Amino acid sequence: MQVFNAFLKVMKRRMTSALIYVIVFLAISFSFANSKSQEKVFKSTKLNVAVLDEDNTPESKALTDFIGTKHNLKQIEKDENIIKDALYWGITVDYVMEIRQGFSQKLEAKEYDDLFGNYHVHDGFSDALMEQLLNEYITAVGTYQASGMTTSDAMKHTADALSVESSVELADKNSEQQNSDFTEEFSAYFRYMPYILLSVLISVLCPVLLAMSRKNIRYRTNCSSFKTSAYTFQIFLGSMIFVIGIWLIFMIAGTIMNGGIFRGKTWLAVLNSFIFSILSAAIAVLIAEFHPSDTAINLATQVIGLGMSFLCGIFVPHIYLSSGVLKAARFMPAYWYVKANNMIAGIDTFSSKEVAVCFLIQSAFLLAVALLAALVHRTNYSASAQLNK
Amino acid sequence: MEKTVVKIENLVKRYGELLALDHFNLEIKEGEIFGLLGPNGSGKTTTINCLLSLLTFDKGNIEIFGKKMTPVSYDIKKEIGIIMQDVAVFEELTVLENIDYFCGLYIRDKALRKQYIEEAVKFVGLEDFLKFYPKKLSGGLLRRLNIACGIAHKPKLIILDEPTVAVDPQSRNKILEGIEELNRNGATVIYTSHYMEEVEQLCTRIAIMDKGKKIAEGTKDELKRMIKNTETVSIDILNLPDEVKSEISALPHIYDTIYNGEKLTVYCSGGKHNLIRILDVLQKKDLSFGRVYTELPTLNDVFLEITGKALRDKEE
């Protein structure tokens, strides 16, 4: 395995850029997944509310205590300037309410108007939230009173009734279609993968293949007693091990992130990414056949990686792309990768037939790129034989 | 009787309309250092490539070690080492890894390979540079690494294709000494070059190629005997009268005289005491002269006379 060992040694010297791509991608993916999972816990908003109790009765205290269960109570002096400073500049309170004198008497008399005064910034949000809460409270008290309860009992029952928290679950936009084993962040992980695969495979595999096929080295190798078929096989083996190795790193990271990758329809996304990995390697081989310089390889990495990513829906979802761009994108393999990924993730309607078509089209691209690479190789070989005189 | 290592018969190679090798014949015996001389485009490299089966040819036959050479003659290739003009090593591998890689293309046995690598490293004197990457090596050391990669597997036939191009004189001498040592150790050497002095110093037999043909072959002395010129006499002299020049030209064994106003050059073909006879004419005419020197013919004279052109291109 002489050629294979040399291939790996040369690759080792070129691995820095691949590691940077992989580490950055995985770091971003993990942080993205964590931030998304935090967003899924529902938490009702709490305002900073100051209560100025002018009534100072058990009823007004009961209301103040109730507000304290829903929002954060703050102390404030009853001075208009201090209140305005707190509201406008200090940002220590969002809403200042006043329980007007005669609050308990008015409740007893079932008069519900002008019970409260308030100071607030007209941001709409805190104002509406507090007014909604107070209206809800007074309406409930009135209802209990109407049923024959005393004011204090009505207030007690109201506080109990409004303290019940609703169970809230955040549903995704397409929750009915969404594949529960293929979460949004996991589908995004697979969606961004082609960019990294293209970048890593072109930027690493190309220089290694070029080093192995450098004219003089190839000449010396061809002069040796090492069989050409064994040489080609060992280069192929080295390339495949690198490609599968990179792909496996992503799959292992995906398993850690998602807690499994072969559940439900997720295995289809795994297969999709595998086909695209091999296709990316074929693209790298094709580029290497043109014997580009290091600068040209970097340029090709950016143009192909970023170009496909922007046009085919990797960075920008298909729904935001114009029909013209999507039509052009159909001529690029990444479009079919993203299309399959969207169907598997439930973003688009899932159809096993259409997913299979996407796989077949990517495989056709793979075959075409491999044949083109073989053709260029043959042309180069003939040309060098002609010039080698 | 010496064994024939390389036998090329009636080799014809065409690149489209261009006839690169024109019924080329060659026979190299075991233990020889065989020089293949010729200007650029004469067909030296094409011959080597055909010999190694890297190029197909239109007609002819090639045998190495008595067996027909084909692209899949791996048993023959195992006994051949190649050292090219351009350094062929991996920049990404260390000196040791490079030698190990190229030796490993021939020798599978790890223990034997290790022994061979150690011997090759010692032979080229790279013991202190084993962990160095080629970029860190000087031009001379890089050439030595190139040679180590070509000979580590102890080939019986070593082909050196202009290995000293753009090499400093000290490294060149080391390389030439190394080639002689390889030959003393039993290797047959094919050496292509357009450096006449190297070929003259090194090779036991020489073939001169031009336009795809072998135009002369033999030892250096045999080649020199093929040409008219046997001695060139040069005399620094001012104001040489035409009648004196004519008198010198009329002397026996002298076939040409050239006078440029400062130096008289006399070309002799055979004969003895040519210098004494020329000086005798000048003394009789009471002409004073300066430096006098004679030169025996070189391979360059051979090449010049046979092909009508210098071996090296002007820019070289």
Side-chain angles (χ1 to χ4, degrees):
Chain A
M1 299 296 274
Q2 198 67 9
V3 176
F4 176 76
N5 289 337
F7 185 93
L8 294 187
K9 280 176 191 167
V10 174
M11 180 159 283
K12 205 172 122 192
R13 296 264 294 165
R14 295 275 182 176
M15 277 301 280
T16 317
S17 60
L19 287 176
I20 290 169
Y21 272 115
V22 171
I23 290 167
V24 169
F25 176 65
L26 293 181
I28 291 171
S29 299
F30 273 99
S31 61
F32 182 68
N34 286 338
S35 66
K36 278 282 179 179
S37 56
Q38 282 166 7
E39 280 177 26
K40 290 214 159 177
V41 180
F42 175 80
K43 219 173 152 185
S44 58
T45 304
K46 286 195 172 190
L47 299 173
N48 291 326
V49 179
V51 180
L52 301 172
D53 188 356
E54 296 295 315
D55 194 47
N56 204 18
T57 57
E59 287 78 11
S60 65
K61 281 192 172 58
L63 174 61
T64 305
D65 291 344
F66 169 73
I67 292 168
T69 63
K70 297 289 181 183
H71 296 288
N72 303 319
L73 284 178
K74 299 284 177 186
Q75 294 294 326
I76 198 163
E77 273 184 59
K78 195 191 173 187
D79 179 303
E80 201 167 328
N81 288 330
I82 292 172
I83 290 169
K84 280 181 179 172
D85 280 352
L87 282 169
Y88 290 94
W89 310 112
I91 320 174
T92 52
V93 289
D94 300 305
Y95 192 91
V96 179
M97 73 168 283
E98 182 189 22
I99 304 174
R100 286 182 177 153
Q101 203 171 11
F103 167 73
S104 57
Q105 288 170 354
K106 278 192 172 180
L107 273 189
E108 196 69 45
K110 297 177 185 171
E111 289 172 15
Y112 306 119
D113 294 330
D114 297 325
L115 296 172
F116 311 114
N118 64 53
Y119 302 88
H120 59 89
V121 180
H122 287 283
D123 65 351
F125 172 68
S126 53
D127 187 13
L129 199 64
M130 273 306 290
E131 280 183 12
Q132 186 194 352
L133 179 71
L134 292 174
N135 283 339
E136 212 174 353
Y137 185 85
I138 296 302
T139 306
V141 169
T143 308
Y144 283 121
Q145 280 177 318
S147 68
M149 283 187 193
T150 60
T151 304
S152 59
D153 284 347
M155 289 180 82
K156 194 170 174 287
H157 277 87
T158 299
D160 289 344
L162 294 183
S163 67
V164 175
E165 293 280 351
S166 304
S167 171
V168 179
E169 275 187 30
L170 286 177
D172 286 327
K173 192 182 80 181
N174 299 300
S175 56
E176 285 178 13
Q177 293 177 2
Q178 192 86 21
N179 177 354
S180 61
D181 296 313
F182 203 51
T183 57
E184 190 187 341
E185 57 268 29
F186 201 42
S187 79
Y189 176 76
F190 272 93
R191 184 156 58 87
Y192 287 114
M193 208 178 284
Y195 170 67
I196 299 302
L197 286 170
L198 283 167
S199 302
V200 169
L201 294 177
I202 295 173
S203 64
V204 177
L205 201 53
C206 258
V208 177
L209 290 170
L210 280 175
M212 297 305 291
S213 62
R214 218 173 280 145
K215 193 183 162 193
N216 293 335
I217 288 171
R218 198 61 213 268
Y219 183 88
R220 188 167 245 168
T221 308
N222 287 345
C223 291
S224 76
S225 56
F226 204 82
K227 288 183 182 172
T228 313
S229 55
Y231 179 86
T232 310
F233 171 74
Q234 290 188 26
I235 294 282
F236 175 77
L237 189 67
S239 305
M240 286 307 288
I241 281 182
F242 174 66
V243 175
I244 292 172
I246 292 289
W247 177 77
L248 275 178
I249 289 172
F250 289 132
M251 293 306 110
I252 291 165
T255 307
I256 295 164
M257 198 186 299
N258 196 48
I261 53 168
F262 287 106
R263 295 178 312 189
K265 295 192 187 91
T266 314
W267 71 272
L268 288 171
V270 172
L271 181 61
N272 196 25
S273 66
F274 183 76
I275 296 170
F276 198 85
S277 300
I278 306 294
L279 174 61
S280 303
I283 291 170
V285 172
L286 175 62
I287 293 168
E289 286 299 338
F290 289 99
H291 299 96
S293 63
D294 279 353
T295 315
I297 291 172
N298 286 337
L299 193 68
T301 307
Q302 300 310 323
V303 169
I304 296 172
L306 291 176
M308 278 203 203
S309 299
F310 278 111
L311 294 174
C312 300
I314 294 167
F315 290 161
V316 184
H318 279 172
I319 51 165
Y320 297 119
L321 294 173
S322 70
S323 60
V325 171
L326 287 174
K327 270 181 192 168
R330 283 165 189 268
F331 295 99
M332 287 178 256
Y335 170 82
W336 301 99
Y337 174 91
V338 175
K339 189 176 163 69
N341 198 58
N342 286 350
M343 282 191 279
I344 297 161
I347 295 166
D348 295 335
T349 310
F350 180 81
S351 157
S352 54
K353 197 179 163 189
E354 280 189 51
V355 170
V357 168
C358 289
F359 289 175
L360 282 174
I361 292 172
Q362 285 183 79
S363 304
F365 271 111
L366 167 61
L367 190 68
V369 172
L371 285 174
L372 192 58
L375 185 71
V376 176
H377 179 80
R378 204 174 172 79
T379 311
N380 285 345
Y381 185 79
S382 310
S384 68
Q386 284 300 312
L387 289 169
N388 198 7
K389 55 186 179 182
Chain B
M1 191 181 161
E2 289 170 330
K3 283 185 202 166
T4 299
V5 174
V6 175
K7 192 174 182 184
I8 298 176
E9 291 175 309
N10 276 320
L11 194 64
V12 177
K13 170 68 188 173
R14 283 191 176 85
Y15 294 109
E17 293 294 305
L18 178 75
L19 187 60
L21 289 174
D22 185 4
H23 296 88
F24 184 76
N25 290 287
L26 194 70
E27 196 166 329
I28 300 170
K29 301 283 183 190
E30 191 176 30
E32 280 190 312
I33 301 181
F34 193 90
L36 210 51
L37 265 176
N40 288 338
S42 60
K44 300 187 300 286
T45 305
T46 301
T47 306
I48 299 297
N49 286 342
C50 289
L51 193 67
L52 294 164
S53 271
L54 296 173
L55 276 180
T56 55
F57 42 86
D58 301 289
K59 198 179 158 189
N61 184 48
I62 295 174
E63 282 182 16
I64 300 178
F65 302 119
K67 293 177 191 169
K68 190 177 166 67
M69 181 67 174
T70 66
V72 292
S73 301
Y74 296 114
D75 54 334
I76 299 175
K77 285 184 174 184
K78 201 170 181 177
E79 304 296 344
I80 302 174
I82 176 95
I83 297 159
M84 293 156 286
Q85 176 183 337
D86 299 322
V87 175
V89 295
F90 286 100
E91 286 169 14
E92 297 83 357
L93 303 184
T94 63
V95 165
L96 185 64
E97 287 169 342
N98 264 299
I99 303 173
D100 179 62
Y101 171 77
F102 289 109
C103 186
L105 295 177
Y106 300 86
I107 309 290
R108 304 284 154 81
D109 185 288
K110 272 190 180 179
L112 184 64
R113 190 161 79 230
K114 193 170 175 249
Q115 181 201 324
Y116 279 12
I117 291 167
E118 279 171 10
E119 287 173 17
V121 167
K122 202 174 164 190
F123 179 76
V124 294
L126 283 174
E127 295 97 324
D128 298 332
F129 304 95
L130 294 179
K131 297 222 186 275
F132 279 54
Y133 286 95
K135 273 190 177 173
K136 299 278 177 190
L137 298 178
S138 66
L141 290 174
L142 206 53
R143 292 279 171 177
R144 288 199 237 165
L145 171 62
N146 195 36
I147 290 173
C149 291
I151 55 101
H153 60 288
K154 294 191 185 297
K156 287 181 187 164
L157 174 64
I158 301 171
I159 299 169
L160 297 110
D161 192 4
E162 310 203 19
T164 57
V165 170
V167 173
D168 62 275
Q170 198 185 351
S171 297
R172 180 178 294 190
N173 284 340
K174 280 252 179 197
I175 291 169
L176 298 181
E177 282 167 21
I179 293 165
E180 283 174 328
E181 195 178 334
L182 287 168
N183 178 247
R184 279 197 298 275
N185 293 339
T188 304
V189 176
I190 300 177
Y191 190 87
T192 79
S193 179
H194 48 215
Y195 286 117
M196 206 72 71
E197 319 78 53
E198 286 180 6
V199 175
E200 207 163 344
Q201 177 192 331
L202 199 68
C203 299
T204 50
R205 231 151 47 87
I206 299 154
I208 296 175
M209 291 184 73
D210 193 33
K211 293 174 184 167
K213 282 184 180 174
K214 184 175 71 179
I215 51 176
E217 185 184 344
T219 64
K220 57 187 173 188
D221 291 332
E222 284 169 348
L223 289 174
K224 284 172 188 175
R225 280 200 291 273
M226 286 178 191
I227 61 170
K228 197 173 170 184
N229 181 282
T230 55
E231 187 182 12
T232 305
V233 178
S234 300
I235 302 165
D236 290 347
I237 183 167
L238 297 170
N239 305 319
L240 178 73
D242 285 345
E243 65 271 18
V244 178
K245 183 175 172 262
S246 302
E247 198 175 326
I248 291 171
S249 299
L251 289 171
H253 306 297
I254 288 170
Y255 68 93
D256 197 10
T257 53
I258 297 169
Y259 180 61
N260 64 4
E262 291 177 349
K263 188 169 86 173
L264 172 70
T265 308
V266 184
Y267 296 96
C268 311
S269 173
K272 289 179 180 177
H273 314 303
N274 295 320
L275 176 63
I276 295 169
R277 277 198 292 270
I278 295 164
L279 294 179
D280 194 39
V281 171
L282 294 174
Q283 279 172 343
K284 277 178 187 167
K285 302 289 179 189
D286 201 21
L287 290 170
S288 59
F289 50 88
R291 199 163 55 121
V292 177
Y293 52 97
T294 70
E295 289 170 298
L296 294 172
T298 62
L299 280 180
N300 201 36
D301 298 314
V302 176
F303 193 84
L304 193 64
E305 195 167 318
I306 291 175
T307 65
K309 60 187 176 189
L311 186 59
R312 277 180 240 173
D313 293 340
K314 274 182 184 171
E315 65 269 23
E316 290 170 326

